[in-house]
Each structure stands twice: as C-alpha cells, then as structure tokens.
Amino acid sequence: MARAYPIERYRDIGIIAHIDAGKTTTTERVLFYSGITYKVGDIDEGTTVTDWMEQERERGITITAAAVTCFWTPLGTEKKKENEYRINIIDTPGHIDFTAEVQRSLRVLDGAVVVFDGVAGVEPQSETVWRQADRFSVPRVCFINKMDRTGASFKDSLESIWKKLSPNAVAVQLPIGSEDKFEGVIDLLTMKALRFEGDLGEQVTIEEIPPVLKKQSQEWREKLVEKIVAEDAGLLEKYLAKEEISIKDLRRVLRKATVSYKLIPVLCGASLRNKGIQLLLDAIVYYLPSPIDLPSVKGTDPKTGEIIERKPSDTEPFAALAFKIATDPYVGTLTYFRVYSGSLTRGSYLLNSTTGEKERIGRILRMHANQREEVSEIFAGDIAATIGLKSTSTGHTLCDEAQPIVLEKIVFPEPVISIRIEPKTKVDQEKMATALKKLAEEDPTFQVKGDPETGETIISGMGELHLDIITDRMRREFKIEGNVGRPQVAYKETIKAQAEAEGKYIRQSGGRGQYGHVFLRVEPKERGEGFEFINEIKGGVIPREFIPAVEKGVKEAVEKGVVAGYPIVDLSTTLYDGSFHEVDSSEIAFKIAGSIALQEAVKRAKPILLEPIMRLEVIIPSEFFGDTISDLAARRGKIEETKDRLRSKLIEAQAPLAEMFGYATALRSLTEGRGTFTMEFHRYEEVPENIAQEIIVGKRK
C-alpha cells in the first residue's frame, strides 16, 4: 500500500493548556471545520468527540489524552488532494492530576498548540505544560482563546506570555474588538481583516482592515516583520534596503524560526463562538514542523550501548515508541505508538527492544478518540494503535528485529497521595487485583502495593481527583465495589549528615551457619537526585558474588525507612569494607547484614521526614480575601503573591498537601461557593519538628 500523504504534509501535534482554557472546545471546532464531524460537539451537553469517557462527560474535564486525525487545505488554496495536509492531534488533559497524559503525549509529538484563556492569560498549569514542552524541545504556537468573554485582553495575555513563559512570542494576529464586541481577527502578514459568518462561523470573509485599527495594525506588523527578518540574513538585507518582502518569504522564515524554537507565533479567537479556528489550522500547517523538519530520533544499540539514529523515512529500519496503554471494553488492551522510521504491515513481527521479547502485530488501528479504523500498513510519522501485545508497556521501543534500537524512555513524576482500598465482598477480591493491575498498566503515575504489616492494598496517585476517577472506573468498567480509606500523604525520609555503620549477621546452628559482615557509609544528596549504591570493595574482602545481595538488602531497608516507615530518598550508600567466612557466608546473610548496616547508618545521619508541598492559585471575590488568607495561614500556607483580576483577587501560595485535603469544600463555604483553586505538586520539603513527631506517633499506632 502506498502512502496517501507525503511525510512533509504530516503534522503530529498536541493541544495543551491549563484546565478550562478551551482545549477540547478548540479540538471540536478543528474537527468540524476540517469536515471530520458534521455537528459541533459541546462539553456541557456531553457530546464531544475527544472527551468520550463517562467521567469526562459528567465532569466536563479531559482525563485521558485522545488521538484524532483530520485533513486541512489552507485558506485561499485550491481544494485538491495534493494541497491537503494530514493533522494527527492529541487533545490532552489540563488538570495537574493527569500530568502523565501530557508528559507522554509531548514525548511523541512534533509540535503543540498552547491554548490560553484571554481573561486569565498564563495560569499555573499553563506554566507546567510549557515546561514539559521545553523538556522535549517541542515547537509551538499560542492561541489566546475566549476573546469574547468579559475582561478578555489580547495585550494583557500576550504580556503574561512574555513575562512568565518566553520573550520570543510574536503576535501574528490582532483581535477586532473584544468581549461581546469581538468580531474577528486581523492577519498581520496579509494585513487583511477576517470575519466568520454563518451559523457556525464556517464562512470566512476577507475584508480591508477597519480604518480605526489601521495605524495600530501597521505598528504591530512592523514589530512582527522586524522579529522575522532578524532570523534570516537575506531578508534582513532586503529589509534594511527598504525592499518589499513577500508574504511567502516571511512565512518561510517564520516557519524556520518556529521549528527551531526561536519564535512563537501568537494567534487569537473564540472557540465557543466559532471564531479564528480556520486560521489556527492554517498556522498549524504553515508554522509547525512535519517529521522531516526535526532532527532524526536518537536511541542506543541494545547490544553495544552506542548512540544510533533513525531518519524519518519509510526506507529506514522500523522504530516506534509505545506511549500509552489503554483498556478497551470491546477489544482488550490497546497499545498506542508513534512511528519514527520505517513502515509496518499487519501480521509482522517486531522486537520489543526494552524487554528483549518478540511481539506480533495482528491488527493496526488508526484511532479517532474511542472509534477505531483498521488499516493494513502505517508509515513514518504515523500515530497508531495495536491490540494484544503481551509484554509492551508505556515507554517501550518496538523495532525491526534485525536492526534493534532502544529509544529514550518517558520519565513520570512520583505519586504524592495514597489511599487504602478493600473489596466489599470475597467475590470482588480477585477481580479487584486484576482491575488494579490493568489500571496501573494504563497509567504510570498510578501505583498499587500491599502493606506488609496490615495486608491491605494501598493505591497511590497524583491527587484526590486522580484517585477518585480510578475508584469510579473500577466501579463502572470493572463492576467492583470497594471500601476506600482516607487519603494519606506520600511522605518520604532523607538524611542531613554523613554517617558510617557496621552490619553483622551471624547465626550458628548445628550444621552450616550464616555469616555476613559489611561496613556502609551514607551521605545526603541534592533533593530529587534519588538513591545510589556505590561498591568500593577492593582486594576481595567480600567476594564479588555477595555484592548484589548487599545492594538488595540496602534497597529493601531504603523502601521501609527508619523514622516512620516511609521510603528514604536522595542518599548515596557506599559499601567500603567487610569480611566473609569460607563456609558460612551466603547471599541471605549478606542481604540481612546490608539491611542492618543501612538502618544503623541512617539513624546516625540526622534522619528527617519530607512532605509534598503544593503550589496553589486561588481566585476569589475581593470581599473574601481576608478570610481566605487566614485560612491558608492556618494550613501552613505561604503566600507568594496576590493580584487584582477584574472584580476578583488572585492568590498564589504554597502549602503542604497534608493540610489541603477537603480544601475545595472549605473554600466553597468561605466564599459562598464562588471561589475556585488549582493545585499542583511543587517539591518535597522538611516537615517541622512538632508535626514530624505527630506523624511518627500516628504511623506507629
């Protein structure tokens, strides 16, 4: 089967934003104007394509990233197949509890549209997704949405982007009016006014710029052209010589600068009022990269560890990254993957180079949210899914058996909140274990473990909403009722000093005894650097075969903690001396000795408790400002900044997660139901001494 679209006419993009900025509404309009849907989906009515889960439709939020495909011919271009572009879109969640969905989507996308609320500008989650996009060097365009809302300001929103995100953002459009007088946009490159007529804004009319906006548009265009020509020596010469520069040349250089992340085009519109979306589609085509505009994907040779590259070409050996696992009630486990090189036909065998196992690709599916389309072959640049892979999970590489490669894995944040869960009936016991296993395979930030002391099951996630959705899915999808405990904070332990200790395990019985003897040194590491085990044994004072056993014992002790049984983080452990017995030494003896030595060393190294600190943004009517500040202070909150926003107050603060349970209810009662807040994990910090004692006593009880 031949390729339907050449790779240079592919766009693999994500739509990312703060919660409630209008990502899903924007995606729905994109699907409508590109002819994929014949009716505009509505979040309030629960008829959107990409928010297809029951929980998403009920709550009006995106929970899982949905992949859709559409086709677009730029405005003013003849509608022919050779002028059409294939756009693969992933609509991502905005809520911080589902940050893993954004993380894995950005890892496999070539470009992103960042949507902003025209009233609020840059919000906390806007900064988070922007940083995630920076981590993967994703080129992006900005879309300032909701220009029709009371208090919307294109200029203020653009200034918040310059101040908080990047000074390289450039306006390529201006709004015609704002709030209820928002009528359309001015394209600063063509210097034309565009309005959106018809019941659903499907007719785009191009007019001259209204005289009242002519001077302002000219000034903004000057700034835009200056920024563009500064990126190209040839255009700069023309500009300085006051020669006319064609729109085609300006677009070409702006595209090059966007792809290399030197400039970020900023557009505006109102998705809900059907204004500006066709121009956003044009911008995706004009400025965001195709797979061949970006550097070749790099990976390592699993045998030699050498760095190898794969070009985005159908003739290269096949390489793809599995970025999402989903449970489909009709077909079983779906594995979503992005193809970086080569092509794949149905019935082929691939190597999972991460696990070393072979996988058969029985069916290849193009996903349209929760709808599936079977295809027989896919190519470089495609995003597709397959069914029934046995050993592939998120972040694994699928590649050609003859020419293996391991692509860079996706790193996810650690869970910060836990709850205990138990089945209501004996019948549900086994079913619950299976359901939790499937949900944990889907979501790398959701973890399940058993408490060895009580035998209970503990589930951990990124926030209360995250765990609420998980338990709701268990009830609806897997028909399992469970009793859920109170949320628990994922505390950690660490050390503040260096210390050494000896671990000795000697048991003498009638026959062969047990003998393990080690000396360990522990040292603190910087926050977030994790655990490290260093072997400094020289001259065979401990035989080489017993070293892994010592490391295993140390790791087990690190998991159990010393202060209050929480995992120990950010420490380096060095094994530097010990002794062994020719007959009695064994792996188990050295494992126990390692565990004893680690516990003793940590006790001497000034151990402390760490707690997750959350970053908060609270928006309240001005009259409740004093009460809200007092309440945050009582929760050990630190106020960072307060701002006026229309008739509201915006409070930026940091507070310990332990004090924030039930905050939504408390804020509602404080503000007569008019206050809103967003909260995201910020960092781990030392727990104050008096509170640490309470936690330790509570844990021991």
Side-chain angles (χ1 to χ4, degrees):
M1 187 179 95
R3 221 184 217 292
Y5 291 83
I7 194 165
E8 60 271 16
R9 284 201 270 120
Y10 268 58
R11 299 288 181 272
D12 290 336
I13 64 141
I15 298 192
I16 60 176
H18 182 90
I19 189 167
D20 216 21
K23 289 177 308 306
T24 301
T25 305
T26 303
T27 308
E28 289 300 321
R29 297 312 184 268
V30 162
L31 295 177
F32 174 72
Y33 294 125
S34 59
I36 296 296
T37 54
Y38 297 98
K39 183 173 180 284
V40 174
D42 188 287
I43 289 173
D44 296 332
E45 291 173 14
T47 55
T48 56
V49 172
T50 53
D51 283 357
W52 54 270
M53 285 171 69
E54 282 179 55
Q55 290 90 339
E56 292 178 312
R57 291 186 166 178
E58 281 174 9
R59 295 163 196 255
I61 59 168
T62 304
I63 292 167
T64 180
V68 289
T69 297
C70 67
F71 307 91
W72 184 249
T73 306
L75 294 174
T77 311
E78 195 184 341
K79 267 198 174 302
K80 291 197 302 197
K81 183 80 185 257
E82 54 266 35
N83 294 332
E84 200 170 64
Y85 288 76
R86 178 190 192 97
I87 306 173
N88 297 318
I89 302 173
I90 295 185
D91 174 34
T92 64
H95 199 287
I96 188 63
D97 283 17
F98 310 107
T99 186
E101 291 288 331
V102 184
Q103 195 103 327
R104 57 175 157 206
S105 303
L106 285 171
R107 169 69 179 79
V108 297
L109 293 169
D110 298 333
V113 174
V114 192
V115 181
F116 298 93
D117 181 325
V119 179
V122 175
E123 297 174 89
Q125 187 64 4
S126 320
E127 292 186 59
T128 305
V129 295
W130 193 275
R131 285 196 303 271
Q132 286 173 315
D134 279 346
R135 194 175 309 139
F136 299 115
S137 307
V138 177
R140 61 211 84 153
V141 299
C142 297
F143 180 66
I144 297 174
N145 189 24
K146 303 192 179 185
M147 286 307 302
D148 57 319
R149 274 187 61 201
T150 305
S153 166
F154 178 75
K155 195 162 175 286
D156 290 353
S157 297
L158 182 57
E159 278 175 4
S160 72
I161 293 171
W162 286 335
K163 189 175 151 196
K164 294 183 179 178
L165 304 177
S166 172
N168 300 328
V170 289
V172 292
Q173 290 177 356
L174 285 182
I176 301 172
S178 66
E179 302 183 345
D180 57 348
K181 294 190 172 60
F182 176 62
E183 295 171 15
V185 299
I186 292 166
D187 184 325
L188 294 174
L189 281 180
T190 60
M191 286 298 275
K192 295 286 181 192
L194 294 101
R195 297 177 196 269
F196 306 89
E197 315 283 338
D199 294 343
L200 295 164
E202 63 275 25
Q203 295 157 25
V204 182
T205 61
I206 301 171
E207 308 166 0
E208 291 306 312
I209 296 170
V212 68
L213 294 171
K214 201 91 178 179
K215 185 169 178 281
Q216 184 192 5
S217 304
Q218 201 60 54
E219 287 165 7
W220 279 85
R221 188 179 199 270
E222 270 306 304
K223 289 182 208 165
L224 171 64
V225 172
E226 274 174 27
K227 289 263 193 182
I228 295 172
V229 298
E231 299 298 327
D232 184 275
L235 286 200
L236 187 58
E237 269 182 43
K238 273 187 170 184
Y239 178 74
L240 294 172
K242 295 198 163 34
E243 288 179 38
E244 188 63 39
I245 302 170
S246 71
I247 292 164
K248 193 178 173 187
D249 278 343
L250 287 170
R251 272 197 189 129
R252 172 181 58 79
V253 175
L254 180 53
R255 172 185 179 74
K256 198 172 143 205
T258 306
V259 170
S260 57
Y261 192 43
K262 287 179 180 159
L263 292 178
I264 303 146
V266 181
L267 299 93
C268 60
S271 300
L272 194 62
R273 298 281 167 266
N274 311 308
K275 290 178 170 44
I277 303 301
Q278 295 95 324
L279 300 183
L280 176 62
L281 277 160
D282 278 3
I284 289 168
V285 164
Y286 287 140
Y287 309 125
L288 289 180
S290 73
I292 56 169
D293 293 320
L294 297 171
S296 303
V297 68
K298 286 186 172 66
T300 52
D301 186 315
K303 295 189 185 83
T304 64
E306 271 178 70
I307 300 285
I308 44 179
E309 284 189 1
R310 290 280 186 272
K311 292 190 182 74
S313 159
D314 301 341
T315 56
E316 287 269 302
F318 185 82
L321 186 76
F323 67 93
K324 180 178 163 83
I325 308 294
T327 305
D328 188 296
Y330 303 105
V331 296
T333 304
L334 278 169
T335 304
Y336 286 76
F337 58 95
R338 155 76 197 259
V339 183
Y340 284 99
S341 63
S343 61
L344 177 70
T345 49
R346 197 165 50 201
S348 313
Y349 281 89
L350 290 176
L351 173 71
N352 177 336
S353 56
T354 312
T355 62
E357 303 204 17
K358 274 171 73 171
E359 297 274 24
R360 184 177 180 274
I361 307 296
R363 293 164 72 188
I364 301 171
L365 308 170
R366 277 201 207 287
M367 297 304 293
H368 188 68
N370 61 335
Q371 305 294 314
R372 298 167 296 277
E373 175 202 344
E374 292 235 13
V375 292
S376 56
E377 192 173 10
I378 49 162
F379 304 91
D382 272 321
I383 291 172
T386 187
I387 297 162
L389 299 190
K390 292 181 178 66
S391 64
T392 301
S393 56
T394 303
H396 287 187
T397 304
L398 295 166
C399 63
D400 188 328
E401 285 179 79
Q403 299 193 57
I405 184 173
V406 181
L407 301 173
E408 186 192 340
K409 287 190 82 166
I410 311 170
V411 180
F412 294 103
E414 284 288 307
V416 293
I417 182 172
S418 307
I419 53 172
R420 295 174 188 278
I421 186 165
E422 59 180 35
K424 278 192 174 167
T425 65
K426 267 274 182 274
V427 180
D428 284 340
Q429 186 98 39
E430 234 171 86
K431 279 162 68 183
M432 190 172 93
T434 310
L436 289 175
K437 184 171 177 282
K438 281 187 176 174
L439 291 166
E441 279 170 4
E442 275 189 36
D443 184 349
T445 57
F446 171 62
Q447 291 177 7
V448 185
K449 63 175 188 241
D451 186 329
E453 291 167 26
T454 62
E456 292 173 304
T457 302
I458 297 169
I459 59 174
S460 309
M462 298 306 294
E464 287 182 272
L465 178 65
H466 188 196
L467 294 181
D468 186 24
I469 297 287
I470 292 280
T471 50
D472 192 31
R473 287 188 62 192
M474 266 178 52
R475 194 173 66 250
R476 294 190 196 198
E477 289 172 34
F478 299 95
K479 308 287 184 278
I480 298 160
E481 293 293 334
N483 295 321
V484 177
R486 281 190 63 235
Q488 315 252 312
V489 178
Y491 292 106
K492 303 257 197 265
E493 298 178 15
T494 192
I495 55 171
K496 291 176 86 172
Q498 183 179 318
E500 294 180 352
E502 176 185 23
K504 213 173 211 178
Y505 182 71
I506 302 170
R507 285 284 180 277
Q508 232 31 71
S509 53
R512 185 180 161 181
Q514 295 282 4
Y515 183 96
H517 180 213
V518 300
F519 286 91
L520 291 180
R521 180 170 57 250
V522 294
E523 295 169 73
K525 294 179 80 174
E526 288 294 314
R527 197 74 75 241
E529 284 188 5
F531 168 77
E532 180 184 29
F533 180 81
I534 302 163
N535 172 24
E536 279 186 5
I537 293 296
K538 292 183 178 69
V541 291
I542 297 175
R544 194 179 294 155
E545 64 266 26
F546 296 136
I547 306 290
V550 177
E551 185 176 354
K552 198 173 177 191
V554 165
K555 280 184 175 166
E556 281 184 12
V558 159
E559 278 302 308
K560 288 180 189 144
V562 169
V563 180
Y566 293 105
I568 308 169
V569 294
D570 306 331
L571 87 157
S572 154
T573 306
T574 306
L575 171 64
Y576 66 91
D577 203 359
S579 65
F580 74 104
H581 189 281
E582 291 286 356
V583 178
D584 291 351
S585 281
S586 66
E587 284 188 5
I588 191 77
F590 272 102
K591 182 181 156 189
I592 295 167
S595 181
I596 293 166
L598 190 278
Q599 287 178 18
E600 197 49 50
V602 168
K603 281 175 192 168
R604 296 174 188 174
K606 297 186 184 168
I608 54 164
L609 268 183
L610 299 172
E611 64 180 344
I613 302 294
M614 311 304 280
R615 183 186 276 146
L616 287 166
E617 187 177 84
V618 187
I619 300 169
I620 48 159
S622 302
E623 61 264 36
F624 304 110
F625 182 66
D627 291 347
T628 308
I629 291 278
S630 305
D631 181 64
L632 282 170
R635 294 170 185 271
R636 295 194 282 132
K638 290 177 190 159
I639 310 301
E640 290 186 310
E641 199 178 349
T642 62
K643 297 176 194 163
D644 291 312
R645 183 186 283 176
L646 289 173
R647 289 172 291 283
S648 303
K649 282 276 189 191
L650 186 147
I651 304 164
E652 289 181 7
Q654 290 181 22
L657 175 62
E659 307 289 345
M660 296 309 294
F661 292 133
Y663 186 62
T665 310
L667 186 66
R668 274 201 293 271
S669 61
L670 273 175
T671 62
E672 297 173 2
R674 290 152 67 197
T676 60
F677 79 103
T678 53
M679 180 166 74
E680 63 171 306
F681 171 70
H682 182 41
R683 66 179 188 280
Y684 270 91
E685 203 174 80
E686 186 177 342
V687 179
E689 185 62 37
N690 59 326
I691 291 161
Q693 286 311 313
E694 286 174 28
I695 295 165
I696 293 161
V697 171
K699 184 79 172 171
R700 284 180 185 155
K701 275 183 190 170

